[in-house]
């Protein structure tokens, strides 16, 4: 079964996590959060960003990356680490594994460099101008998820839309 698993490592901004939760609900991706978080799950900013989708989430919390790998051994060798420090683009991975894990770091620091170095063959970046620090976390997650979905020809997702007043 093809599955997208989004891992957030120590997220700090509730609105970003709420937006990512909404992306998960819209695409069927699972959300994995590694503690500590810079907010509580009942934070109104978090729920506001993904309010009407919160009940449609597959979300799990972990103490650390090792805890996640212990509970999901299939993540080993199937996790891609998104970082501005990577030497290659996320589009160079083709195809992504059927049961893929994509990991993103905290907003202020990204992923720990020792984790990146230990998994350097799985580190990828989203290209951007070198004068800027990084993209917004929730935007980066959406870019990555939709690249994987594009490679899978948007399998399982509705691709057409309907006007409310007119018909196409």
């Amino acid at each position: 079964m093809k599955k997208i698993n989004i891992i957030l490592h120590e997220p700090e901004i509730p609105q970003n996590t709420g937006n990512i939760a909404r992306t998960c609900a819209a695409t069927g991706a699972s959300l994995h959060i590694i503690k500590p978080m810079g907010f509580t799950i009942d934070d109104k900013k978090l729920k506001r960003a993904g309010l009407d989708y919160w009940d449609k989430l597959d979300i799990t919390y972990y103490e650390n990356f090792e805890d996640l790998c212990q509970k999901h051994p299939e993540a080993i060798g199937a996790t891609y680490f998104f970082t501005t420090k990577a030497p290659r683009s996320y589009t160079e991975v083709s195809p992504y594994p059927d049961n893929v894990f994509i990991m993103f770091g905290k907003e202020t620091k990204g992923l720990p460099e020792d984790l990146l170095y230990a998994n350097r063959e799985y580190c990828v970046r989203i290209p951007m101008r070198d004068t800027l620090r990084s993209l917004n976390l929730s935007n980066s997650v959406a870019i990555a998820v939709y690249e994987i979905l594009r490679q899978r020809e948007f399998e399982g997702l509705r691709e057409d839309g309907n006007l409310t007043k007119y018909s196409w």
Side-chain angles (χ1 to χ4, degrees):
M1 178 178 170
K2 294 182 180 180
K3 184 75 177 161
I4 298 174
N5 298 277
I6 299 166
I7 306 168
L8 300 181
H9 183 267
E10 302 179 3
E12 299 169 313
I13 301 174
Q15 295 93 326
N16 281 336
T17 301
N19 288 333
I20 292 163
R22 189 175 184 142
T23 297
C24 289
T27 61
S30 295
L31 182 57
H32 305 270
I33 297 179
I34 296 175
K35 299 176 188 175
M37 298 180 293
F39 52 88
T40 59
I41 278 306
D42 60 355
D43 190 309
K44 68 180 179 179
K45 293 174 187 169
L46 171 76
K47 291 195 175 180
R48 184 174 176 204
L51 184 63
D52 50 344
Y53 296 99
W54 208 248
D55 64 327
K56 295 167 182 53
L57 285 178
D58 174 18
I59 186 169
T60 311
Y61 303 91
Y62 305 89
E63 295 303 316
N64 50 46
F65 185 58
E66 292 75 24
D67 181 27
L68 182 140
C69 288
Q70 187 175 29
K71 292 175 179 160
H72 294 279
E74 69 276 16
I76 300 167
T79 300
Y80 288 85
F81 301 82
F82 279 72
T83 173
T84 60
K85 299 170 177 116
R88 69 181 180 141
S89 172
Y90 73 104
T91 59
E92 293 178 43
V93 179
S94 184
Y96 280 89
D98 284 351
N99 191 20
V100 66
F101 290 76
I102 53 176
M103 187 169 183
F104 300 83
K106 64 171 78 179
E107 289 91 340
T108 58
K109 295 182 181 178
L111 291 167
E113 284 200 6
D114 57 339
L115 182 64
L116 296 175
Y117 187 76
N119 296 283
R120 56 191 169 273
E121 64 273 18
Y122 297 100
C123 291
V124 295
R125 66 177 284 120
I126 298 170
M128 55 182 270
R129 292 171 50 197
D130 64 1
T131 57
L132 300 175
R133 189 182 48 166
S134 66
L135 290 169
N136 172 275
L137 177 61
S138 62
N139 292 339
S140 297
V141 170
I143 289 168
V145 167
Y146 274 87
E147 169 60 16
I148 295 166
L149 291 170
R150 183 196 65 78
Q151 287 184 12
R152 297 175 179 178
E153 299 179 350
F154 301 103
E155 182 181 336
L157 297 182
R158 183 174 180 176
E159 293 188 63
D160 64 336
N162 294 312
L163 296 172
T164 56
K165 189 175 175 182
Y166 304 98
S167 90
W168 294 110

